[in-house]
Amino acid sequence: MVKMIEKIVEETKAYYCLDCGKCTSSCPVAMLNPRFSPRLLVEQALIGFENLVVRDAELWSCLTCGACSNYCPSMVDFQKFVRKVREESLKKGLTGIKSHGGIFNSITKFLCRENIKQDRLGWLTPELRVRQKGETLYFVGCQPYFDIIFEEIKVNCLDNIAKLVVKLLNKAGIEPVVLANERCCGHDALWSGDVETFEKLLELNLREIKGRGVKRVVTNCPECLRTLKIDYAEYAKIDFEVLHITEMLLELANKDKISFSKVDGKVTYHDPCRLGKHLGIYEAPRSLLGMIPGVEFVEMQNNRGNSLCCGTSLWSNCDMFSESIRVSRLREAQATGAGTLLTACPKCQIHFKCSLSCDSGRNLDVSLGVEDLVTYVAKAAGVV
Ligand code: SF4
Ligand code: SF4
Ligand code: SF4
């Protein structure tokens, strides 16, 4: 019988590994955490040390950011390798160290139930025009939950992102469908190895979308984007296009459906890993900023494919190493002289703001603000 680890090696092309170590030397976690080495995990798998790989607690330290894949000469799919090994790890009852008491994991599990009732549309104020059926659907993601859990650090995803997405679309003449019973996309479940939960969420979301005439789904969350665009398509038949909000806003601005007034200030931009390294969307956010008169845009030293992760994924293993990665990124942003660090992922924003607002963060030599690109664009478009 073929061993499980051999199948994973086969599926991820790990047998091409040259043992060069470029993955480990390019990995932001391995640079700080001497116990974590992607090269070693692959080598152990190739030798057939299944138990060692599956039971390695450091498996959960990987951010699945994709930085290593940029440098691997053999094109080993290390992110998929980690995801697949985590599936086996989870079957043995092993998982990462959950942040926030595991509340996000609980929410995901809760959202898998068939007959739950959510108050998901309470944030839609009367001036926001949405529909039950239509060609464009706005997938809101878990932002309503983030606002409750992170009330203290004032992320306000609904006010500062979701409402502005609808306002910008309305301004361009689009009334998006917003689902009253949308579920978590399943991103964290999938990358934590919980395929059963992921498949249930996929089924429930596709059932909600079906029959509404949806041709395009737009989201401001890069994790939802990757999940709907790549992972749903791997498990089911998808008959709609999936776009990030920056792609859609750029398209609308190019068609003169939205326009911008002059703004002041110097900004820099953080490429979220799912948007950039996973999906290759680097130019849409930059082109959009380039259309706003007066913007002084400055790149960080590490940008696009070399961009550093915000340091945490899956609400898991948020430790001193992830904090250190995040602080490095904030310092890099500060070094540009920009007054605002823009990002295009609600989770990146939460993690950055969390680091800046904790006790040690307040003593950092970092004074710049962190804002979602949607917020910035909405101000320039005059919808705030
Ligand atoms: S995906 Fe990111 S965190 Fe994981 S091994 Fe590769 S570079 Fe390191
Ligand atoms: S970079 Fe690729 S080839 Fe080199 S050790 Fe890592 S997985 Fe193997
Ligand atoms: S950085 Fe992110 S995961 Fe870590 S404690 Fe803060 S909000 Fe939670």
Side-chain angles (χ1 to χ4, degrees):
M1 202 170 79
V2 183
K3 279 171 78 180
M4 170 276 295
I5 203 73
E6 287 171 15
K7 273 200 221 155
I8 296 176
V9 164
E10 180 83 23
E11 260 184 274
T12 59
K13 308 246 184 312
Y15 47 71
Y16 283 135
C17 175
L18 302 167
D19 199 16
C20 68
K22 286 190 176 171
C23 47
T24 301
S25 57
S26 60
C27 170
V29 179
M31 272 177 216
L32 299 162
N33 178 355
R35 295 189 306 273
F36 178 67
S37 161
R39 180 196 64 80
L40 200 61
L41 280 167
V42 170
E43 289 312 306
Q44 286 169 340
L46 285 169
I47 296 167
F49 290 163
E50 188 168 306
N51 242 333
L52 211 59
V53 179
V54 170
R55 293 183 179 280
D56 189 340
E58 295 302 331
L59 186 65
W60 302 90
S61 296
C62 175
L63 302 163
T64 60
C65 67
C68 52
S69 303
N70 270 352
Y71 294 94
C72 176
S74 306
M75 298 177 77
V76 173
D77 189 344
F78 188 73
Q79 288 121 281
K80 189 170 184 182
F81 174 90
V82 165
R83 216 176 76 196
K84 291 286 168 189
V85 178
R86 282 178 182 172
E87 284 174 26
E88 301 307 318
S89 199
L90 198 69
K91 285 178 197 160
K92 295 188 189 307
L94 304 168
T95 188
I97 302 160
K98 304 283 177 222
S99 310
H100 305 282
I103 189 169
F104 291 103
N105 195 43
S106 306
I107 291 172
T108 304
K109 289 279 189 194
F110 176 72
L111 289 172
C112 270
R113 296 186 190 172
E114 288 270 349
N115 297 317
I116 53 159
K117 291 222 180 328
Q118 303 179 74
D119 175 17
R120 280 201 67 103
L121 303 183
W123 58 275
L124 284 164
T125 42
E127 79 277 12
L128 300 171
R129 299 190 308 277
V130 298
R131 294 165 166 240
Q132 297 275 332
K133 287 186 174 188
E135 292 193 357
T136 305
L137 182 143
Y138 172 37
F139 195 88
V140 180
C142 291
Q143 294 179 109
Y145 295 98
F146 295 162
D147 277 10
I148 298 164
I149 294 156
F150 296 109
E151 197 181 355
E152 245 178 75
I153 58 169
K154 298 184 177 59
V155 175
N156 297 336
C157 292
L158 292 175
D159 284 343
N160 295 336
I161 308 176
K163 284 183 185 175
L164 303 182
V165 166
V166 178
K167 279 189 183 177
L168 284 162
L169 294 178
N170 285 172
K171 187 165 183 167
I174 298 168
E175 293 182 7
V177 175
V178 177
L179 300 173
N181 208 10
E182 185 189 298
R183 312 298 178 110
C184 163
C185 68
H187 172 278
D188 290 0
L190 184 69
W191 289 88
S192 301
D194 186 355
V195 178
E196 192 185 337
T197 297
F198 166 76
E199 286 188 298
K200 187 67 198 169
L201 292 166
L202 171 151
E203 180 200 325
L204 292 169
N205 275 323
L206 292 186
R207 202 190 295 166
E208 273 296 305
I209 295 171
K210 202 174 167 196
R212 293 178 190 268
V214 173
K215 291 190 176 153
R216 307 181 104 185
V217 173
V218 63
T219 176
N220 60 275
C221 174
E223 294 189 348
C224 295
L225 179 75
R226 186 214 135 108
T227 308
L228 293 164
K229 197 176 169 109
I230 298 182
D231 304 312
Y232 277 24
E234 195 183 319
Y235 285 79
K237 190 176 173 302
I238 303 300
D239 55 5
F240 47 78
E241 185 190 3
V242 190
L243 295 103
H244 189 249
I245 187 66
T246 54
E247 297 178 291
M248 185 133 186
L249 293 176
L250 180 64
E251 185 185 298
L252 294 170
N254 278 328
K255 289 181 183 165
D256 293 327
K257 296 270 177 82
I258 46 174
S259 55
F260 307 110
S261 307
K262 191 172 180 301
V263 297
D264 292 320
K266 195 170 176 180
V267 297
T268 188
Y269 172 69
H270 166 77
D271 291 277
C273 297
R274 263 55 180 169
L275 194 63
K277 288 188 275 290
H278 283 229
L279 293 164
I281 302 173
Y282 297 114
E283 298 315 317
R286 289 172 170 83
S287 302
L288 191 58
L289 282 172
M291 294 182 88
I292 302 175
V295 173
E296 193 185 340
F297 175 64
V298 56
E299 290 283 7
M300 279 187 264
Q301 188 185 348
N302 294 301
N303 59 71
R304 296 182 172 83
N306 291 324
S307 174
L308 195 61
C309 176
C310 71
T312 304
S313 72
L314 311 180
W315 307 111
S316 176
N317 290 49
C318 183
D319 52 22
M320 63 179 180
F321 303 118
S322 36
E323 180 65 9
S324 181
I325 294 169
R326 207 159 25 255
V327 168
S328 298
R329 190 61 171 160
L330 286 165
R331 289 210 164 112
E332 202 184 335
Q334 172 91 359
T336 64
T340 308
L341 166 62
L342 298 174
T343 183
C345 170
K347 284 189 182 174
C348 291
Q349 194 195 160
I350 290 169
H351 301 315
F352 283 136
K353 281 192 170 165
C354 174
S355 286
L356 287 172
S357 61
C358 67
D359 284 346
S360 55
R362 279 192 287 271
N363 294 326
L364 283 177
D365 48 349
V366 175
S367 57
L368 81 178
V370 182
E371 195 167 271
D372 195 277
L373 205 134
V374 168
T375 319
Y376 193 78
V377 169
K379 284 185 213 161
V383 301
V384 179

